[in-house]
């Protein structure tokens, strides 16, 4: 059942339970009920309110428990193929003299065509890195294009 239909069902169910309990409390003669007419109405109304609230809480939980469907992922804006761009999650820890290179899209030389190997790049990119001592971490969210000799920029002594 659709979520927007559940809430009217909840309201109607709470009203029916309240009305039913009020009718039972007023019309069925219980020995413990007070004799005065006004007191009988007050006790029946209190009883119906408590039971109706419990019923509304239970049915309200049912009506609100289903989460709405997540929106569809955005379409790729690169190659025009309409394919879904993948999400990228990367984590790196480098210590000592280590070098880590993380690329969310594709990696190639400056002469390779832009978008080769995947279109418009990744969708959502999440990268975490820790480096200590003489270590280095390079993170690129999309495509990385390097020219000849770029690797020498991080030369170690």
């Amino acid at each position: 059942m659709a979520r927007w239909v559940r809430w009217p069902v909840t309201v109607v169910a709470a009203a029916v339970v309240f009305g039913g309990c009020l009718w039972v409390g007023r019309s069925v003669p219980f020995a413990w009920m007070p004799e005065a007419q006004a007191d009988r109405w007050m006790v029946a109304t209190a009883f119906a309110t408590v039971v109706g609230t419990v019923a509304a809480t239970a049915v309200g939980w049912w009506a609100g428990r289903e989460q709405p469907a997540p929106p569809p992922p955005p379409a790729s804006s690169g190659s025009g193929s309409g394919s879904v761009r993948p999400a990228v999650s990367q984590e790196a820890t480098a210590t000592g003299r280590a070098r880590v290179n993380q690329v969310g899209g594709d990696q190639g030389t400056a002469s390779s065509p832009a978008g080769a190997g995947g279109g418009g790049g990744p969708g959502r990119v999440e990268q975490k890195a820790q480096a200590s001592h003489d270590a280095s971490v390079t993170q690129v969210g999309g495509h990385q294009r390097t020219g000849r000799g770029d690797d020498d920029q991080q030369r170690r002594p």
Side-chain angles (χ1 to χ4, degrees):
M1 182 178 297
R3 188 175 186 190
W4 66 271
V5 174
R6 291 181 184 193
W7 286 108
V9 169
T10 299
V11 171
V12 169
V16 166
V17 168
F18 176 81
C21 289
L22 186 62
W23 178 78
V24 167
R26 241 339 260 130
S27 62
V28 177
F30 293 108
W32 50 269
M33 290 287 276
E35 293 295 323
Q37 197 69 354
D39 292 340
R40 290 178 72 92
W41 272 106
M42 190 168 45
V43 170
T45 304
F47 171 71
T49 301
V50 169
V51 175
T53 301
V54 169
T57 302
V59 180
W61 171 83
W62 167 75
R65 71 183 167 96
E66 184 178 327
Q67 297 297 324
S76 175
S77 62
S79 62
S81 64
S83 62
V84 177
R85 297 182 297 174
V88 175
S89 178
Q90 299 173 328
E91 190 169 334
T93 302
T95 60
R97 294 174 53 109
R99 290 178 21 188
V100 176
N101 186 24
Q102 292 181 321
V103 180
D106 64 327
Q107 184 176 12
T109 62
S111 63
S112 64
R124 183 183 56 81
V125 176
E126 180 181 326
Q127 296 174 319
K128 298 176 186 176
Q130 292 181 348
S132 60
H133 303 297
D134 197 24
S136 69
V137 176
T138 303
Q139 294 180 320
V140 179
H143 304 299
Q144 182 180 30
R145 303 286 177 240
T146 58
R148 190 177 246 315
D150 282 353
D151 194 38
D152 295 333
Q153 291 176 358
Q154 295 187 19
R155 184 165 298 193
R156 304 288 184 210

